Amino acid sequence: MTAAERARREGVGEGMHSRGGALRGQPEHVLVIGAGLGGLRTVEQLRASGYEGRISLVGEELHPPYDRPPLSKQLLAGAWEPERIVLREPEKLDELGVRYYLGVPAVALRPGEVELSDGSTLHADAIVIATGVVARRLPGQPERVHTLRTLDDALALRAALEQARSLLVIGGGFIGAEVASTAKDRGLEVTVLEALAVPFSRALGDEVGAMCGRLATEAGITLRTAARLEGFLEPDGDGAVAVELADGTRFSADVAIVGVGGTPQLDWLADTGLDVRNGLVCDASGRVRGLPGVWAVGDVAAWENVEHGRPHRSEHWANAGDQAAVVAAAIAVADAPPPAVPYFWSDQFGLKIQLIGRPELADATLPLHGDGLSGGDVKGTVVGYLAGDRLVAVAGFGAARRVARYRALLGNGADRTAAQEFARSLG
Ligand SMILES: Cc1cc2nc3c(=O)[nH]c(=O)nc-3n(C[C@H](O)[C@H](O)[C@H](O)COP(=O)(O)OP(=O)(O)OC[C@H]3O[C@@H](n4cnc5c(N)ncnc54)[C@H](O)[C@@H]3O)c2cc1C
């Protein structure tokens, strides 16, 4: 039996407990709760930072750590199978000297210890929480209406799409738009219901959001904006799922998915007395406020940040790795990594959408390349975001090489003129 099979069956890895004692100043045992991207990157970065003590990794799911972005893309499309998205097989965790516990969620946190669902207790002198978010469900949402957060969710949705001719997507954010795009490529008729007047306006602003909406409709999606959902209806024979909007319009389809964001996975911290409704509030190095010896990374963590002036939570892939590197260095008493420029991407309707920086700080946009903002081809469009005169973010649509060139400019705090000159120099 392989280590992977053993871990899946027993939920407990057989890896080495440690590579020797912890170095002076380092904790003896680091316990990482959440075996997703942030948890895995934390253990990898601990070893990369020279941490020599014991590491344990606890995960709610039986699967070894896997990558979520392909769940709405290649895996949903049927192009990839689950093996392809595994980030590290249990054997490789063994090589890192990590003891892992899969399929046994943490159920309670007390000072210096965590209780698992099987009744066991793990003691540690540093605890890192990386438990991500759960997909939010809507009131009255029937069981058969899908959400998408885990590998099991993606496989269930994929199986449903294989039998379906039509899909209703409730919530036109990044996951909703990616599922719509993948389903359209599979030949389904797709309707997206978005509550905002302009899709993506909160994440990307009105102008760029409107361009994203156009990208969807030009690809053949039926997009209904300002769509306030009244509730789910009994299907009327026209499809398996039906909904009604506040204005009385009804939509039905063979399959439906709700993509309305995520809620931090923190019920298990109820006894700590912390207000965790919008994640774990941390200082700028990831130390959880009010819980000594506890750090948090990834989707669940609201780090304080000078740019925002308040705790800020980011549900993006690169953020989990960036924060893991900072926390691991702090725990290993190693040099902190240089500050990272925020980054995320989304693949929709044949284009890679990329965003570097902090568009949420901006009050204006600045066209840099292409004419997507003025109604032209979206592909090749690159847009700057300005806070006053300062360039704070750059978004690109099918323009990966150009977008990458702006990273250094953003790191240097360039202004409008510098951004325009740079755009001209790129041609
Ligand atoms: C479908 C989909 C597509 C995405 N696409 C993109 C993309 O294109 N670009 C991008 O930038 N980002 C994308 N993301 C976001 C990105 O995947 C996340 O930001 C990233 O996974 C966050 O890592 P994390 O470790 O915080 O959370 P996760 O990866 O969710 O890991 C958290 C883990 O903790 C476990 N857990 C929860 N509670 C407990 C408990 N009590 N005890 C133990 N374990 C627990 C969970 O089961 C989970 O395995 C996508 C996300 C999804 C769902």
Side-chain angles (χ1 to χ4, degrees), residues 34 36 38 60-61 68-69 73 106 130-131 149 265 298-299 316-317 345:
E60 178 171 41
E61 296 174 74
R68 284 171 210 273
K73 309 176 184 74
T131 46
R149 180 72 199 175
Q265 283 264 62
D299 288 4
H316 298 306
W317 190 93
W345 82 97

Side-chain angles (χ1 to χ4, degrees), residues 113-126:
E113 63 176 47
V114 169
E115 185 182 326
L116 306 189
S117 60
D118 62 1
S120 61
T121 299
L122 297 175
H123 299 266
D125 35 7

Side-chain angles (χ1 to χ4, degrees), residues 150-194:
T150 66
L151 172 56
D152 296 344
D153 294 340
L155 292 174
L157 180 60
R158 181 167 96 175
L161 293 185
E162 272 158 16
Q163 312 295 324
R165 281 172 302 150
S166 57
L167 172 72
L168 191 57
V169 179
I170 301 162
F174 287 105
I175 288 180
E178 290 190 353
V179 170
S181 169
T182 303
K184 189 74 200 163
D185 287 347
R186 294 188 72 130
L188 278 82
E189 202 180 292
V190 182
T191 302
V192 175
L193 304 178
E194 167 54 50

Side-chain angles (χ1 to χ4, degrees), residues 63-254:
H63 307 292
Y66 62 86
D67 215 12
R68 284 171 210 273
L71 298 182
S72 47
K73 309 176 184 74
Q74 299 89 339
L75 193 111
L76 192 62
W80 290 8
E81 290 306 318
E83 298 73 50
R84 185 121 179 226
I85 66 170
V86 174
L87 290 168
R88 230 175 225 267
E89 289 289 355
E91 293 83 345
K92 302 281 179 190
L93 289 171
D94 284 343
E95 283 170 18
L96 279 179
V98 174
R99 181 159 184 137
Y100 47 87
Y101 301 77
L102 301 178
V104 273
V107 293
L109 173 75
R110 292 179 284 271
E113 63 176 47
V114 169
E115 185 182 326
L116 306 189
S117 60
D118 62 1
S120 61
T121 299
L122 297 175
H123 299 266
D125 35 7
I127 296 170
V128 182
I129 298 176
T131 46
V133 295
V134 275
R136 196 174 293 138
R137 295 182 71 84
L138 291 172
Q141 181 176 328
E143 260 318 297
R144 63 181 179 281
V145 173
H146 294 256
T147 51
L148 177 54
R149 180 72 199 175
T150 66
L151 172 56
D152 296 344
D153 294 340
L155 292 174
L157 180 60
R158 181 167 96 175
L161 293 185
E162 272 158 16
Q163 312 295 324
R165 281 172 302 150
S166 57
L167 172 72
L168 191 57
V169 179
I170 301 162
F174 287 105
I175 288 180
E178 290 190 353
V179 170
S181 169
T182 303
K184 189 74 200 163
D185 287 347
R186 294 188 72 130
L188 278 82
E189 202 180 292
V190 182
T191 302
V192 175
L193 304 178
E194 167 54 50
L196 296 172
V198 178
F200 300 104
S201 56
R202 280 202 203 115
L204 302 175
D206 282 352
E207 291 162 274
V208 178
M211 191 172 71
C212 291
R214 185 157 65 82
L215 188 63
T217 53
E218 285 175 356
I221 302 291
T222 303
L223 172 64
R224 176 73 195 264
T225 52
R228 282 200 22 246
L229 193 77
E230 188 66 23
F232 293 90
L233 305 171
E234 279 308 310
D236 56 6
D238 215 16
V241 193
V243 298
E244 186 174 36
L245 301 187
D247 67 3
T249 323
R250 295 179 172 197
F251 294 89
S252 59
D254 295 337

